[in-house]
Structure formats: C-alpha cells, structure tokens
Amino acid sequence: MDLPPLPLDRAAGRPLAAQLADALRAATTGGALRAGDRLPSTRALAATLGVSRTVTAAAYDQLLAEGWAEGRRGSGTFVVGAPAASRAAVPAATAVAPERDGDLVDLSAGTPCLTVLDRAAWRRAWRAAADPAPDATPDPVGLPEFRSVVVEHLLRHRGLPADPAGVLATAGSTGAIGEVARTLPPGARVAVEEPGYQRAVVALRDAGLDVVGVPVDGAGLVVEAIPTGVAAVYCTPAHQYPLGSRLSARRRVALVERARAEGFLVLEDDYDGELRYDVAPMPLLAALGPDVVAHLGTASKLLTPTLGAGWLVAPPAVRAAVLAVRTRSGSRPAPAGQRVFAAFGAHGDLARHLRRLRRELAGRRAAVVAAVQAAGRTVQGDAAGAHVLVPLPDAATERAVVAAAAASGVVLDGLGRHHSASPVRAGIVLGYAGPGSAELEWALPLVAEALRTS
Ligand SMILES: Cc1ncc(COP(=O)(O)O)c(C=O)c1O
C-alpha cells in the first residue's frame, strides 16, 4: 500500500491534525486507502509529512474514535473504512477497477533494476498472457484488462483516480510523447525542461514543433520562466530528469493555472514516480488539472522497457486526437506487453515487486550517497527514482571524472549531454538501478576515487 497525497495547508485556519484526519477520510472514501491497509506509525508519518508527532497522533486518535481506523495491539493502526453511520453519505469508490559492456559497469541512469524481480511470478504472468486466443483485429485503445490494472495502479500508487475509459495504452512514454506531439499544430512552440530528457526533445522536434528550453532548479521546472504563447509544456514533476528535484506544490498549482488561463497542454512524464523513499507524495499534475494535463506512465522503470507498455491518461479531446494519429498511421501499442503487465498486476505481484524494488533502491541510494559524500562531494535530488546528481564545478571536471571512472572500468554519465543548448550545469548523473548489487558495490569505491581525484 502506498500513502496517497495528504495535502496540508499551514496557512489555512483549520488545525493540521483535523486537516490530516480529513485527508485520510477522503483517501478512504476515494479508494486510495482500503479496509485492512496498515497506516504508517505516527512517528513515520510525522517525519514524511514534516509535522510534529502530536499532529499525526491526534489525527489517528480522531479516526480511531470515529471508527474509520482500528488499533491492533503490537501491530499498528489499520483502515477499517467508512463507519456505518457515515456510509450512506460516502460516494462510491471511483476505482474500477553490471549492465556489462565488455568489462565495464554502467552507472548511467535509465536502466531498470531486474535483480529483485520474482522470476516465478514473471513466468506466471507470461504463461497467463499466452492463454487467450489470438486477436484478429488490433486494438488502438489498449486491452481492457491492461487498462483496469493501470487504473488500480494509478489509484493505489500515484493517488490518481482514473476511469479505464480515460486510459489509452501506449508503447511507452517516449513513443507517446511523439504521438501527442503529432496532435499539435506543426511549428507550434513547446516548452521543455533544460537540462531535460533529450529523447522527448527529439520526439517533439521530429513532429515539427519548435522546442524552447526552460530552466529548472531545486524545486523543479521554473514555471514563471515558461514563455507565453506555447502550445504545450513537457515536464517530469515527480523526479526531474536529470536533476532529481520534485516540482514544488506551489509550482504545480501555478503550472495548472497557467495552462488553463493560456490554453496550453501539460505533458506530465511520470517515468519513475512510483519510486520514492521516505518523502511525502505530491499530488500529480493530472489530479490537479485533469482538463489540461496528459499524464504519461510506463512499465519501463518498474519492470522493463522490453514490455513496450505504457499508459496515457488525458482529456477526451487529446485521447481522440491521439487515436486519430493511430488510425492515420496504422500504429497501435502491441498487446503482448499489455497482457503480461495485466497478468503481473492482477494478483498482487506488481504491488509486491514495487515494495521490493523500493526497498532495494532505497538501500542502493543510501550506499551511493555515502560513497559520494566520502569523496567530499554532495548529492543533489530528492530521495526518489533511481539516480542522483553529483554537481561538479565545471565541464572540464565533469569530463575528467567520466574519464577517470572509465579508466577503472565504470561508465558514468555526464550532465552535459542532457542539455539541448550549451550546458548550463556540470555534474554526473549517477544511476544505481541497472547493475547487480555486487557490481554496484565493486564500482562505488572507484566512482568515489574518480570524484576525489578529478
Ligand atoms: C524522463 C524519461 N521519460 C521516459 C522514459 C522511458 O520511456 P519509455 O516508456 O519510452 O521506455 C525514460 C527512460 O529512460 C526517461 O528517462
């Protein structure tokens, strides 16, 4: 179970404990929390939300007194559901449902962590995917069972209530960016993060769009710096690629407000949003502005890009325009990967995998941070995703670190290549998901040495 976003507003007159109790009740009636879910300890929740333990304890006491939650001796506090007295007034739940390159260990970002994948569950999913009779006609929308599993996943792990009818299967986020790009008027201006995901830039340019870079900082995309007159804004709010910061709550609201006022579309690339360690979840842009946001998710970081399975949740007009692109071009997402993903998600294997993945990656992140700090450098980026940024003073140092690491057998990724224009920052984008844990353990002292001596 994933904690949904629990919005607290310090400026509101209502006490934080009452706001927290409201948010937990709303999450329960909305389906993001279910009967039997175990709530975090008051101490852990206080740390995650950045409030005092008195606040979380008072909120839990309130829910216990009202019957929304129950305490089980020695094992914690559990969601019960809406108490009988309030059930009639409660709306129904909305949910339906070392990479080795020769002898090198590759620590570039972007590779999934396959070492924690339960191979028995994976084989089960593939067997189940092979059961149905072959389809004669392609389905440009995506298989119903896939879209149901995606809806469940979005609600439980991303706090986004969606309807299966509002979800389109994709062949992955990068392809979907290209599809949405082709729905925009040729020559239209699209803002992207700089530095940012260069494959998105290529997909947008290939669709004949005019791409303009917007700066990013420790609070994500600088929304005030987006020029007026854009048709769309592409961003990675959960974990800015490659800097690793999360878009602040204030900027999320500002971006959605500007999109509404100026009539542009926001492309929310949530490529690794499920991976978060001890930091509070933020509301998705798609939850704040379902009318102006096209939300892109992918199985590529959760499982593997070889499934070629992703999803798009977007306003009806955007979905219709993407389907028109598919009809025109005869392209559609392949059903095989969707079947495997659906089977993997159907009986809890996906949720179990995600728990394992987070545990593994949180441990790896801690080891990476320790190695970098031991080398006298700092790490930038929130405790999320599968890479960190190690800022460096200039491009020459970046090149020297990459070269020193390569000489000792480790591939590192410089920040320079994540810019579309002249690099404005230097550093190393250090991915830790791809290699086996033994390879990572072997490589980290070498990375530390390269960082220390360059
Ligand atoms: C920012 C970003 N978006 C999306 C993706 C993956 O997209 P896809 O679903 O096409 O594999 C990646 C993969 O590296 C990425 O870094």
Side-chain angles (χ1 to χ4, degrees):
M1 199 269 308
D2 240 338
L3 209 54
L6 298 169
L8 299 181
D9 181 0
R10 284 190 167 70
R14 196 161 160 70
L16 287 176
Q19 291 185 42
L20 179 56
D22 290 346
L24 288 165
R25 277 191 221 95
T28 307
T29 55
L33 290 175
R34 307 247 169 104
D37 281 347
R38 182 184 169 163
L39 293 172
S41 68
T42 51
R43 188 189 302 279
L45 184 61
T48 304
L49 297 177
V51 298
S52 81
R53 203 171 158 206
T54 332
V55 169
T56 51
Y60 280 18
D61 283 348
Q62 183 64 30
L63 297 175
L64 288 165
E66 291 170 359
W68 289 81
E70 67 178 11
R72 293 186 203 153
R73 189 179 288 278
S75 50
T77 305
F78 291 80
V79 174
V80 170
S86 65
R87 219 163 269 155
V90 168
T94 46
V96 184
E99 191 176 323
R100 287 267 173 192
D101 175 19
D103 280 323
L104 304 179
V105 171
D106 190 346
L107 298 186
S108 317
T111 345
C113 180
L114 293 174
T115 53
V116 296
L117 184 63
D118 175 353
R119 294 295 300 279
W122 187 240
R123 267 193 301 274
R124 244 189 339 268
W126 278 91
R127 268 199 300 271
D131 272 349
D135 299 312
T137 43
D139 182 350
V141 173
L143 300 173
E145 61 269 35
F146 173 73
R147 289 184 288 135
S148 292
V149 165
V150 167
V151 162
E152 174 75 5
H153 177 74
L154 284 171
L155 182 61
R156 295 283 273 171
H157 300 294
R158 304 302 294 123
L160 180 67
D163 192 287
V167 176
L168 284 189
T170 72
S173 305
T174 317
I177 294 165
E179 290 185 314
V180 175
R182 267 171 270 142
T183 70
L184 299 172
R189 195 155 239 234
V190 177
V192 299
E193 298 163 328
E194 173 75 351
Y197 183 44
Q198 293 308 300
R199 287 212 172 109
V201 172
V202 169
L204 295 165
R205 287 208 175 119
D206 282 355
L209 301 170
D210 173 24
V211 176
V212 51
V214 174
V216 280
D217 62 19
L221 176 73
V222 181
V223 172
E224 310 83 86
I226 298 170
T228 53
V230 296
V233 173
Y234 162 85
C235 56
T236 49
H239 190 226
Q240 202 275 329
Y241 189 86
L243 298 191
S245 45
R246 295 192 306 156
L247 189 62
S248 71
R250 193 183 61 71
R251 287 190 185 167
R252 283 170 196 253
V253 172
L255 180 57
V256 166
E257 279 173 358
R258 275 197 67 181
R260 285 197 179 118
E262 297 172 34
F264 61 73
L265 179 71
V266 178
L267 273 164
E268 176 176 43
D269 182 355
D270 197 46
Y271 66 106
D272 68 358
E274 296 89 351
L275 306 176
R276 204 183 53 239
Y277 326 110
D278 300 326
V279 286
M282 297 260 210
L284 289 182
L285 294 176
L288 296 172
D291 50 330
V292 288
V293 175
H295 173 89
L296 295 164
T298 177
S300 292
K301 309 294 173 208
L302 280 182
L303 286 167
T304 160
T306 59
L307 279 185
W311 46 91
L312 167 72
V313 181
V318 175
R319 292 199 314 270
V322 167
L323 284 175
V325 168
R326 289 182 183 175
T327 306
R328 261 203 324 273
S329 61
S331 63
R332 63 249 162 191
Q338 294 174 47
R339 282 200 203 290
V340 174
F341 187 82
F344 199 69
H347 306 292
D349 286 328
L350 180 60
R352 264 189 296 281
H353 172 67
L354 183 49
R355 278 198 296 277
R356 271 204 201 147
L357 187 61
R358 281 193 182 141
R359 240 190 338 266
E360 172 73 16
L361 292 181
R364 288 183 179 207
R365 186 179 192 280
V368 167
V369 171
V372 171
Q373 286 174 346
R377 304 276 185 188
T378 56
V379 156
Q380 194 178 307
D382 284 342
H387 71 267
V388 295
L389 177 75
V390 183
L392 292 173
D394 48 48
T397 314
E398 178 183 309
R399 280 193 298 275
V401 171
V402 170
S408 56
V410 181
V411 176
L412 291 181
D413 185 15
L415 185 54
R417 74 176 191 89
H418 298 276
H419 289 75
S420 326
S422 258
V424 290
R425 293 164 185 266
I428 300 297
V429 183
L430 192 51
Y432 46 85
S437 27
E439 284 174 314
L440 185 65
E441 211 175 302
W442 174 81
L444 282 180
L446 301 172
V447 173
E449 186 61 15
L451 284 169
R452 199 175 12 246
T453 53
S454 302

